[in-house]
Structures are given as C-alpha cells and as structure tokens.
Amino acid sequence: MAPPAVQTVVELLLGGVSLGGLYGMMAFAFSLALATTRILNVAHGGFLVLGAALAMLFFRFLHLHFLLGTLLLLAIFLLVGLLFEGAFVRPLMGRPPHAVLVGSILVTFGFALALEAFLGFYWADLVDPQPSFTIPFPAPTLQVFGLTLSGTRLTILAIAMLTAGLFHLLLTRTKMGKAARAMSEDHEGALIIGINPRRLSIRIYLVGVVVTAFSGILYSTTAPLEPYSGLPLTMIALTIIVIGGVGSLPGALLGGVLVGTAEVLTTFLAGGAWAPVVYLLVFFLVLVVRPEGLFGVREA
Amino acid sequence: MLDVRGVSVRYGDLQALWDVTFAVRAGELVAIIGPNGAGKTTILKTILGLVRPAAGSIDFRGAPLTRYPPYDRVARGIALVPEGRRIFPNMSVRDTLELGAYTAGRRADLRPRVERVYDLFPVLASRQRQAAGTLSGGEQQMLAIGRALMADPALLMLDEPSLGLAPVVIDHLYDRLGELKGRGLTILLVEQYVAGALELADRAYVLETGRIVREGAGHELLADDYIQKTYLAL
C-alpha cells in the first residue's frame, strides 16, 4: 500500500485532471461555436444540466435499456441543437458583430433562465420534488503501484481524451472542420471562398450540443447537477476559453485542466466556496500576462 | 459575361455607388481605376453578394445574380481576391488552397488544380506546409490569388493586388496576371496602380466618388490627358 498522503494527492490530481478533461470538452464546444458564429451562448451550461436530467429520467426513473436510452438521448440532443440554432443563432446571422454578441447574450440568457425554471419547477412537480441530477456509475477501482484509482474518473478521462482526439481530426481532416477554422480566423475571407455560414453553424451546434450534453451526463456520474448549475458552468466555460484562447483546442484542454485541478485542490484545502475565487484568479493572471489566451492568436 | 446595370449602394446615409453600369465580356481583362474611397471595393463586394445594392441589377452568364448569397455566386464561377488578402493566418498553404475549392463537389479531384497554382507560383509549392501567416506580403498575395483560382472561376476579380508590395514583386504579380489573361481567363481588376492596370487591361473604367466618369480601351486611357494629369502625374 502507498502511504495515505500519496494516495490522497494522486486521488486529488486524478479528480482534477478528469474534471478538467470534462470541462475542456464542454468548453471547446462553447469556444468553437463562439469563434465560428460569434454567438456567445450563455445557455451553454444549461445543456450539461439538460443532458444529466434527461439521462436520469431515462435510466433511473424509466429504467430504459442502456443502448436504447443512449440512442434516444443522442436523437434528443441533435434535435435540441437544431432547434436552438434555428431559434437563437440563425436570426442573428449576417448582422454586425457587436449586434450578434449583445443579441446572443440577451436571447441565450433568456433561454438559460427558462430552462432553469422549467427544470426547477416541472421537474419538482412531475418527477422528483428535489431536483438533483445524478447518475451514479460505480466503475471498479484500479490498483496501480499500490494506489487505488477511481474507475469512474479514469473512464471520464479516457472519454475526454477520445473526444479531444476526435475534435482534432474534425478540425484538421474534414472539410467541415477546416471551414470552421477558416470562419474563425477570417469571417469575411471564409464567406469569399464560398463557405455557407448557415450550413456550417447548424453542424457546429449539432456537434456542440451532443458533446456538451454528454459531458453533463459524465459530470453527473461523480457529482449531482442542479437546475441552477447551468450559469456557473457557462462561467467556467468562459473562464477556460479566455485562459486558453478562443477557438483553440489545446487551449480549451489546458484551460480545462487548470480550472478543474484548481477547483478540486481548492475544495480539498479550503472548501468548495473558494474554488471560483482561485480559478478566477488564474483567469485574471492570464488576462494580465497574455490577454489573447495561452494558445490564442493576437488579432491583426 | 458580367453585366452590371444601374447599381447603387448605400451604407446607411452614405451613398457609395451611384448608378454604376459596366460590362465584362468573356476573355477580357477589365480594370476599374480610381482614388481611395471611390467605391471600387464596394463594386466587387456587390458583385460577390457581400453587399446588397439599393438599386440596379447584376447579370452573370445571362442570369440575374441579385438574389443569390455569396456561396452560390462562387459556385457559379465568380472568385474574389479581396483587398488585404484575407488569408487564414494559422492555416497551411496547402489547406488554404484546398479550401479555395470549397464549392467544388466532394468528389472533385483537387490535385490538378493545386498543381496549376504551383506552376503559376512555384514559391507556394516550397511553402506548402507553412502557416499562411508566416509568408511574406507578396507570397500572401500569391496565395490569395491561388486560393481564388482553386475555385476554377469563370470570372476572377482582384481588389488592389499591388497594395503594400515592393515594385519588383508587383511586376512579378502582373506578369502572372498577364499569363492568366493569355490563357483566356476573364478578369476584373480593381487598382490604384493605374499605369500597370491600364497597360494590362483591354478596357478600363474610371470611378470617382461612386460614379463612372470615363471609360475606354486601356491604351486609350493611358494616353488620355485627364488620366495622365490626375493619376499618372505626368
């Protein structure tokens, strides 16, 4: 057996890095949408909550078969992505950048509040009087060099790394990914070469909502989400992409791991209430030292 | 090939183009010259659909363009080399060129197109893995032209390709434009570099404060008193 102190440190680091990987996934989905469509989606964190809530409904209350439930969730998330894009993104397209930014914050904030109210009220009324979304997933633990590692956290880390790999392939190998990079590097340049911004934005939101909602399900395997967890999660996504640089995949991953680890360590050392203080401090330092983000590109 | 008739463009209270009418015939190189702020860029943006005209019509290969978005116009054969080049700084030269053929079908073979661009600008071949943002100004301009050619356009529009480049680089670029013209490509060239543009152009229009004030064959305008005094400082 490893000494208890070593065990604790390793547990904290694994907890921080796996939470960070999960944050990185959902933050990159947020970042890609912001970089390509210039929509700042305040309701982004709400998609994590929605994912966890629906997964809980399907698996814990309705006891659906794992595969059937997962396919059903995928279908619903795709539909949500399509409807969200049509309702909140499309009407803002082609307007001046500042109008898109301010308009998107307003409408998605409204949507985030509506989603909160819906999950807080109807969920309590119809499903469970104490809305708290969690899907315990007790994976077997792993013994390495006398250390006990949480199988759940390792699974989360593996899925986050796999998702990052798929994102990387999407951006570097597919026409859609290259178009998204072009759109985020030079909007008008992308229009000039004939990229259809609407078709691209639909695809970005389909991918983004699916990744984000499944991140929410993963999140709820280790800690419960509540109807009001959405906006704080959006704040975390914003912090991460400002740290890492808008539109940057390595930036989102590194920012995610920084924020996740800071959160886990602070919670252990000083209590959960201090976690936002620490990651906002990291955020502030990055803004002072490198305002374009660690992997960001300075605007020409 | 391209018929622009009575086009007016307003930006809010400001009118950028007043009743602009001109044409480009197949195989021609037509230049539009004029001072800064005359509306030259606006004309090209309007033809591509980035700017909506308040009045007038634009026909391309006999069909009206006005209601099509930019991506449909690119697919129909119009490509723009924009002012300031608008390349993607972190994207490799090769990826940039391939993106230039974005509107080509999924099954289109891009290799011969890339090869043709490399034949025209061999320096791009030697830089193909480099990020576009690390190229020199002249190389970036070549990349922007190459990217537009990748769409295999029927009409190539260039917006001030000489801007900010050294004279020797401009000469090189203009030689290549002459080569493209020699292959029968239809070109609409907007320039402040009046001497070079008029020398190359079959026909040219002079645009001042949003209105076409003169037109004629390239060599006629070169010899024109007004042009010589106003633009060539002779």
Side-chain angles (χ1 to χ4, degrees), chain A residues 185-186 189, chain B residues 84-89 96 132-133 135 140 143-144 147:
Chain A
E185 288 194 24
D186 194 316
Chain B
R85 311 187 269 266
R86 296 217 166 259
I87 54 154
F88 314 116
T96 304
L135 302 183
Q140 289 188 8
L143 180 60
R147 182 178 71 180

Side-chain angles (χ1 to χ4, degrees), chain A residues 22 25 47-56 58-59 66 69-70 72-74 77 133-137 152 156 159 209-225 233:
Chain A
L22 200 156
M25 273 163 67
F47 292 145
L48 285 112
V49 179
L50 185 69
L54 288 177
M56 183 162 163
F58 286 0
F59 295 125
F66 177 74
T70 307
L72 207 55
L73 286 172
L74 182 65
F77 299 156
F133 315 120
T134 169
I135 305 128
F137 171 69
T152 310
I156 291 177
I159 293 177
V209 172
V210 167
V211 167
T212 309
F214 277 103
S215 313
I217 299 177
L218 285 181
Y219 187 101
S220 71
T221 60
T222 60
L225 282 170
L233 282 166

Side-chain angles (χ1 to χ4, degrees), chain A residues 61-73:
Chain A
F61 290 105
L62 302 177
H63 300 288
L64 292 188
H65 181 264
F66 177 74
L67 196 65
L68 175 72
T70 307
L71 288 177
L72 207 55
L73 286 172

Side-chain angles (χ1 to χ4, degrees), chain A residues 195-243:
Chain A
I195 291 173
N196 177 340
R198 299 194 154 168
R199 192 187 298 172
L200 182 64
S201 113
I202 290 178
R203 292 176 183 181
I204 298 271
Y205 279 90
L206 290 180
V207 173
V209 172
V210 167
V211 167
T212 309
F214 277 103
S215 313
I217 299 177
L218 285 181
Y219 187 101
S220 71
T221 60
T222 60
L225 282 170
E226 270 140 40
Y228 311 104
S229 307
L231 290 173
L233 282 166
T234 300
M235 279 305 297
I236 290 176
L238 255 177
T239 309
I240 289 171
I241 65 167
V242 172
I243 290 175

Side-chain angles (χ1 to χ4, degrees), chain A residues 32-39 89 93 100 183 187 197 201 204-205:
Chain A
L32 190 63
L34 176 62
T36 53
T37 64
R38 295 172 176 171
I39 296 288
V89 182
M93 283 188 120
V100 174
M183 198 55 116
H187 194 82
S201 113
I204 298 271
Y205 279 90

Side-chain angles (χ1 to χ4, degrees), chain B residues 33 204-208 211-215 221 227 231:
Chain B
I33 59 169
Y205 297 85
V206 182
L207 190 74
E208 286 176 4
R211 291 183 176 83
I212 288 180
V213 295
R214 251 180 171 70
E215 59 177 282
L221 289 178
I227 301 287
Y231 293 102

Side-chain angles (χ1 to χ4, degrees), chain A residues 21-254:
Chain A
L22 200 156
Y23 278 168
M25 273 163 67
M26 69 97 178
F28 185 66
F30 178 80
S31 179
L32 190 63
L34 176 62
T36 53
T37 64
R38 295 172 176 171
I39 296 288
L40 200 157
N41 175 15
V42 179
H44 188 76
F47 292 145
L48 285 112
V49 179
L50 185 69
L54 288 177
M56 183 162 163
L57 179 69
F58 286 0
F59 295 125
R60 289 187 63 197
F61 290 105
L62 302 177
H63 300 288
L64 292 188
H65 181 264
F66 177 74
L67 196 65
L68 175 72
T70 307
L71 288 177
L72 207 55
L73 286 172
L74 182 65
I76 292 176
F77 299 156
L78 287 171
L79 189 67
V80 170
L82 202 65
L83 293 177
F84 184 86
E85 200 277 343
F88 301 120
V89 182
R90 186 158 287 205
L92 290 167
M93 283 188 120
R95 295 178 190 276
H98 65 276
V100 174
L101 191 66
V102 174
S104 66
I105 292 174
L106 282 174
V107 295
T108 59
F109 188 56
F111 177 73
L113 292 180
L115 190 65
E116 277 188 0
F118 183 82
L119 288 173
F121 181 74
Y122 285 101
W123 192 275
D125 211 31
L126 299 171
V127 186
D128 186 350
Q130 296 252 292
S132 173
F133 315 120
T134 169
I135 305 128
F137 171 69
T141 55
L142 206 69
Q143 302 287 334
V144 185
F145 302 120
L147 292 164
T148 309
L149 302 179
S150 154
T152 310
R153 294 192 192 285
L154 286 174
T155 309
I156 291 177
L157 190 58
I159 293 177
M161 282 163 63
L162 183 71
T163 309
L166 290 176
F167 265 136
H168 178 74
L169 289 179
L170 178 80
L171 291 175
T172 54
R173 299 289 157 81
T174 69
K175 205 169 165 179
M176 171 199 163
K178 288 180 190 178
R181 280 162 59 204
M183 198 55 116
S184 66
E185 288 194 24
D186 194 316
H187 194 82
E188 192 167 299
L191 295 180
I192 283 166
I193 60 174
I195 291 173
N196 177 340
R198 299 194 154 168
R199 192 187 298 172
L200 182 64
S201 113
I202 290 178
R203 292 176 183 181
I204 298 271
Y205 279 90
L206 290 180
V207 173
V209 172
V210 167
V211 167
T212 309
F214 277 103
S215 313
I217 299 177
L218 285 181
Y219 187 101
S220 71
T221 60
T222 60
L225 282 170
E226 270 140 40
Y228 311 104
S229 307
L231 290 173
L233 282 166
T234 300
M235 279 305 297
I236 290 176
L238 255 177
T239 309
I240 289 171
I241 65 167
V242 172
I243 290 175
V246 178
S248 159
L249 178 59
L253 291 174
L254 184 72

